[in-house]
Amino acid sequence: MSSFSYFTLIFFCFSSLIAISHAINNAFSVELIHRDSVKSPFYDPTQTKIQQLLNDVRRSINRANYIKKVLSSNINKFESSLIYDNGLYMMSYSVGTPPFKVYGFIDTGSGLTWIQCKPCNICYNQTSLTFNPSKSSSYQNIPCSSLTCKSMKDYACSNDGEKCEYTMNYNPGSKTQGDLSVETLTLDFTSGYVVSFPKIIIGCGHTNTLAFDYNGQSSGIIGLGKGNMSMINQLGSLIDGKFSHCLAVNEYYKMFNLSSKLNFGDVAVVSGDNVVSTPFDKNKDHYYLSLEAFSVGNKRIKFGGFKGFNSSYNIIIDSGTPLTLLPGKYYDRLESTVIEVVELERFQDPTSSYRLCYNTTSSQHPKFPVITAHFNGADVKLDINSAFMSIYEGIKCFAFIPTIDAFNIFGSATQVNYLVGYDLKKNIVSFKPTNCSKF
């Protein structure tokens, strides 16, 4: 292992991925599971819908505040900005040889995939079994002397000077720390194939602390960000820098039982009729888009000129934030416009989490205006069930919330029933209206 180098890693990755690419024709999909789905290890039949609503709002605000903190302080920029509790969509996969099943939250803001590992110095209470790297014949630590380790912006050597160690700090008192390693990851494709990807760089966390109550069925996170160590860049030429997701609508007053999809490579290409595309800022770690305005019907409300933004790229598109967060003054203008247009009886959310809700049973033919997000070069007409979320039967709430001095985020709720594709070579995000429950 002492002779392991960055170039050796690249060689193994390249040769292995060429072989795999021929086997799966550069295109594959995996199932995504909403954390509140009956298919999820997080599913809690005793949790009320009120609790789910509060959790979505809390996760959205916490994540926005933390992303701002990370970006403004320049902390661990290659790493994840995820607050661990905030994961919304997860996928199951296996790690090691023989394959060991784990669950990970996907995150488009993350630069590293990591899992909790034995031996645990300090670990959160993971209710599923914890991965033991000593039981895997394919596990290898990355040495501190390697270029892979030194290419990280933040790294440390183990006490014996041999192993490369990573540390990822989240909100105060929460972090994951462990060994940077290479390991085999195995995915179950929706096509029925099971394929292993060798020599993938992951973090093997031995010290994992969380500063809040946490239900620990998840083993860690899956990084889909732009960093060199993200899953997207490690799969490299196999997927040609392309991935997409299609998030299905799950009504809050019903059980979450629909699955969504995460696509890679050729099958991730967003093409055909009604496709619109917008560039993202290639110089930033997150996927920053340029939002020019929102429209409510034919009434356009210009967006921009906010404190903290020195470019036209002014909003982050994010898979881990449930709701769309906008600056308070701008949100007020948007909300006022919606109120002017919607002719339905208002409903007071008992949790005070959502400021604008309507009783759709008050009208025989309830109508909502078309909400359009006007990005640079792309007008995205939001699905009615994403702009207005069903929180109870007959009750819909505006899926936007105001923030005070926080980063603007285009959340996952407003992305449902769209095939959203990322192309890291062209530096664009594409949108296509799609019935994701049948995709």
Side-chain angles (χ1 to χ4, degrees):
M1 185 62 197
S2 60
S3 62
F4 186 90
S5 69
Y6 178 79
F7 299 105
T8 305
L9 171 65
I10 294 298
F11 172 77
F12 276 113
C13 289
F14 183 72
S15 59
S16 299
L17 291 178
I18 288 177
I20 296 172
S21 67
H22 287 296
I24 61 176
N25 197 28
N26 291 345
F28 56 94
S29 301
V30 296
E31 180 184 29
L32 291 181
I33 306 169
H34 192 285
R35 66 178 294 145
D36 293 323
S37 166
V38 294
K39 299 180 179 181
S40 165
F42 280 84
Y43 178 65
D44 181 0
T46 66
Q47 187 178 66
T48 67
K49 302 307 175 187
I50 295 294
Q51 289 172 319
Q52 290 181 355
L53 295 175
L54 290 172
N55 287 341
D56 267 358
V57 174
R58 174 179 54 80
R59 292 184 189 116
S60 299
I61 295 174
N62 284 348
R63 184 169 172 87
N65 288 333
Y66 187 68
I67 288 176
K68 179 187 175 182
K69 176 183 175 183
V70 170
L71 296 181
S72 61
S73 60
N74 206 31
I75 296 175
N76 294 339
K77 290 189 71 176
F78 84 96
E79 297 171 345
S80 168
S81 63
L82 178 73
I83 298 175
Y84 192 64
D85 183 47
N86 282 359
L88 195 61
Y89 290 90
M90 67 176 67
M91 56 178 273
S92 65
Y93 65 105
S94 296
V95 59
T97 307
F100 183 91
K101 187 174 183 178
V102 295
Y103 285 90
F105 284 115
I106 66 163
D107 183 34
T108 52
S110 298
L112 180 68
T113 295
W114 66 269
I115 59 173
Q116 186 161 247
C117 292
K118 291 182 178 181
C120 281
N121 299 323
I122 302 174
C123 286
Y124 59 82
N125 182 26
Q126 182 176 320
T127 53
S128 57
L129 295 177
T130 302
F131 177 65
N132 186 345
S134 67
K135 303 292 186 182
S136 172
S137 62
S138 52
Y139 180 87
Q140 291 179 294
N141 288 119
I142 293 178
C144 192
S145 60
S146 69
L147 291 179
T148 302
C149 185
K150 293 179 180 179
S151 67
M152 294 169 55
K153 293 184 179 180
D154 295 273
Y155 74 95
C157 295
S158 58
N159 292 334
D160 58 12
E162 293 184 359
K163 294 186 293 185
C164 184
E165 296 184 339
Y166 77 94
T167 299
M168 298 171 66
N169 293 295
Y170 299 113
N171 55 320
S174 297
K175 71 175 183 180
T176 174
Q177 186 176 45
D179 301 325
L180 200 67
S181 58
V182 290
E183 182 56 289
T184 296
L185 302 189
T186 301
L187 303 181
D188 294 321
F189 297 166
T190 55
S191 62
Y193 288 100
V194 177
V195 177
S196 295
F197 299 84
K199 302 294 181 180
I200 299 294
I201 299 172
I202 65 169
C204 196
H206 299 291
T207 300
N208 311 289
T209 60
L210 300 168
F212 38 79
D213 292 335
Y214 179 70
N215 197 4
Q217 290 93 334
S218 174
S219 308
I221 64 170
I222 299 167
L224 300 179
K226 294 190 291 181
N228 291 333
M229 295 187 189
S230 77
M231 184 74 72
I232 303 306
N233 279 308
Q234 288 196 67
L235 292 178
S237 60
L238 172 62
I239 64 171
D240 199 30
K242 299 180 180 67
F243 73 97
S244 65
H245 57 65
C246 203
L247 307 179
V249 174
N250 282 284
E251 303 287 4
Y252 269 93
Y253 60 88
K254 300 177 182 178
M255 291 198 310
F256 283 77
N257 55 12
L258 296 178
S259 296
S260 301
K261 278 187 179 179
L262 178 63
N263 315 296
F264 298 91
D266 291 346
V267 74
V269 174
V270 182
S271 61
D273 296 335
N274 302 317
V275 174
V276 293
S277 300
T278 186
F280 60 75
D281 191 341
K282 63 181 180 180
N283 297 317
K284 293 184 180 179
D285 295 313
H286 291 72
Y287 296 100
Y288 273 89
L289 307 183
S290 180
L291 178 66
E292 298 174 347
F294 274 104
S295 288
V296 181
N298 60 0
K299 297 184 177 183
R300 186 181 178 104
I301 305 99
K302 184 179 178 181
F303 186 87
F306 299 108
K307 181 181 178 181
F309 293 97
N310 55 11
S311 76
S312 62
Y313 294 99
N314 52 16
I315 191 166
I316 296 170
I317 182 171
D318 186 48
S319 65
T321 305
L323 305 178
T324 290
L325 294 92
L326 301 173
K329 290 184 179 180
Y330 183 82
Y331 172 87
D332 290 341
R333 292 170 56 201
L334 185 62
E335 181 189 82
S336 297
T337 306
V338 172
I339 292 172
E340 290 176 8
V341 174
V342 178
E343 298 179 354
L344 290 172
E345 177 187 335
R346 295 278 295 275
F347 174 83
Q348 183 64 44
D349 171 21
T351 71
S352 299
S353 300
Y354 295 83
R355 283 187 21 175
L356 183 60
C357 298
Y358 291 99
N359 183 349
T360 61
T361 62
S362 63
S363 173
Q364 187 175 359
H365 301 289
K367 293 182 179 180
F368 288 93
V370 174
I371 307 291
T372 303
H374 299 281
F375 296 104
N376 177 16
D379 293 340
V380 179
K381 294 182 179 181
L382 305 185
D383 184 273
I384 187 64
N385 292 309
S386 60
F388 298 90
M389 300 170 61
S390 296
I391 63 171
Y392 309 103
E393 188 166 9
I395 302 297
K396 284 186 177 293
C397 293
F398 197 37
F400 296 70
I401 56 175
T403 61
I404 300 175
D405 195 27
F407 273 71
N408 313 316
I409 298 179
F410 193 69
S412 59
T414 40
Q415 299 174 51
V416 300
N417 274 345
Y418 263 94
L419 180 61
V420 181
Y422 296 74
D423 189 324
L424 273 64
K425 286 191 173 181
K426 294 182 179 179
N427 296 315
I428 60 171
V429 177
S430 300
F431 302 84
K432 180 179 182 179
T434 305
N435 184 346
C436 292
S437 64
K438 298 180 180 179
F439 178 76

